[in-house]
Amino acid sequence: MSCKNKAEQWVESGYHGKLVEIPCGRTGVHGEVVLCEECLHELTAKYPQGWRHHPGDTCIHGTYRDPMHDCCCWKCEEGIGKEYELKCYCGASIWAPLEYEVECDRCGQCHTMPANEDQLEEYNQDVYDHINAARFTGKIRIMRVDECGQESCVIVVNDDAALEYVIAGVQQQYPESRVFTEREESQRFMANQMLLDEDIY
């Protein structure tokens, strides 16, 4: 990267020295590329991990590879491959390589990562369906917001076929309110989630 600006560099000469101007992007007196303040600021924002040798060159874990030093990523040094997101039945996300055994930090359950990405996607979908089945009771709550902005439940509907008729009746009964629906959440599920969160903290 370079521009038409001049970059300043300190050059020592005996017991003294002086500032010399060098075109931005050129090699300086010490063998490194010299940049003006504008280009330096722009590159710092673009490559916060560094840019001197290999701009943006990161490992599979997102750690910058600096050829001037040893690899800074302990996961690469340990031979750990790319990590994928696995959903736990408690609702937490776990990151680990494929075919890797990992323990959930939230609930302590042990998981074995699937062998490939397709199996991982199927597993996560099954967990998502399982969580939704436990989270919701299958009933629909008809809610209303009154003119003061207070939200309240009017009625709980078990039958989806009668839902639109019940909503029409509620709208007729409370014409000044905004009526909407939401799925009823299981109180047991919510209590279990609160207990898990308390165990973390």
Side-chain angles (χ1 to χ4, degrees):
M1 183 174 190
S2 63
C3 64
K4 296 180 180 179
N5 296 335
K6 298 285 186 180
E8 292 184 340
Q9 189 175 33
W10 179 260
V11 179
E12 294 182 0
S13 177
Y15 294 105
H16 303 285
K18 63 178 180 178
L19 282 173
V20 296
E21 288 189 342
I22 299 173
C24 177
R26 298 282 179 88
T27 302
V29 294
H30 302 298
E32 80 281 6
V33 176
V34 179
L35 301 170
C36 69
E37 289 187 11
E38 291 180 11
C39 290
L40 191 64
H41 179 72
E42 185 179 339
L43 283 172
T44 302
K46 187 174 182 182
Y47 303 116
Q49 76 279 2
W51 69 86
R52 290 290 184 185
H53 304 284
H54 298 283
D57 184 15
T58 57
C59 71
I60 57 176
H61 306 105
T63 304
Y64 179 60
R65 288 176 174 166
D66 189 348
M68 300 299 289
H69 304 88
D70 291 335
C71 180
C72 300
C73 180
W74 66 270
K75 293 180 180 178
C76 285
E77 291 179 353
E78 292 292 328
I80 299 175
K82 182 180 177 182
E83 295 184 333
Y84 297 86
E85 182 182 14
L86 180 82
K87 285 291 184 183
C88 180
Y89 285 99
C90 71
S93 292
I94 306 167
W95 291 87
L98 296 176
E99 297 184 320
Y100 194 82
E101 288 199 9
V102 64
E103 183 178 318
C104 178
D105 292 333
R106 188 171 188 231
C107 67
Q109 185 177 3
C110 290
H111 299 272
T112 301
M113 294 290 287
N116 55 56
E117 294 183 27
D118 293 335
Q119 291 179 3
L120 177 64
E121 187 176 347
E122 290 177 11
Y123 183 89
N124 284 339
Q125 185 61 46
D126 289 342
V127 172
Y128 179 78
D129 295 339
H130 176 82
I131 291 174
N132 279 341
R135 179 179 178 183
F136 300 107
T137 63
K139 300 176 182 179
I140 303 295
R141 292 161 54 100
I142 299 179
M143 310 289 293
R144 78 179 185 99
V145 181
D146 61 23
E147 58 273 10
C148 298
Q150 296 294 322
E151 188 177 298
S152 60
C153 176
V154 179
I155 191 172
V156 178
V157 180
N158 296 324
D159 187 9
D160 290 344
L163 182 61
E164 59 181 284
Y165 300 107
V166 178
I167 292 175
V170 172
Q171 288 174 333
Q172 187 175 7
Q173 185 177 359
Y174 302 101
E176 74 287 351
S177 300
R178 182 175 66 85
V179 178
F180 65 96
T181 62
E182 66 179 18
R183 292 192 288 177
E184 184 179 59
E185 289 186 320
S186 168
Q187 296 299 318
R188 177 178 292 180
F189 177 85
M190 300 305 294
N192 289 337
Q193 292 296 308
M194 292 175 65
L195 288 172
L196 285 171
D197 291 335
E198 286 178 4
D199 290 342
I200 293 176
Y201 302 108

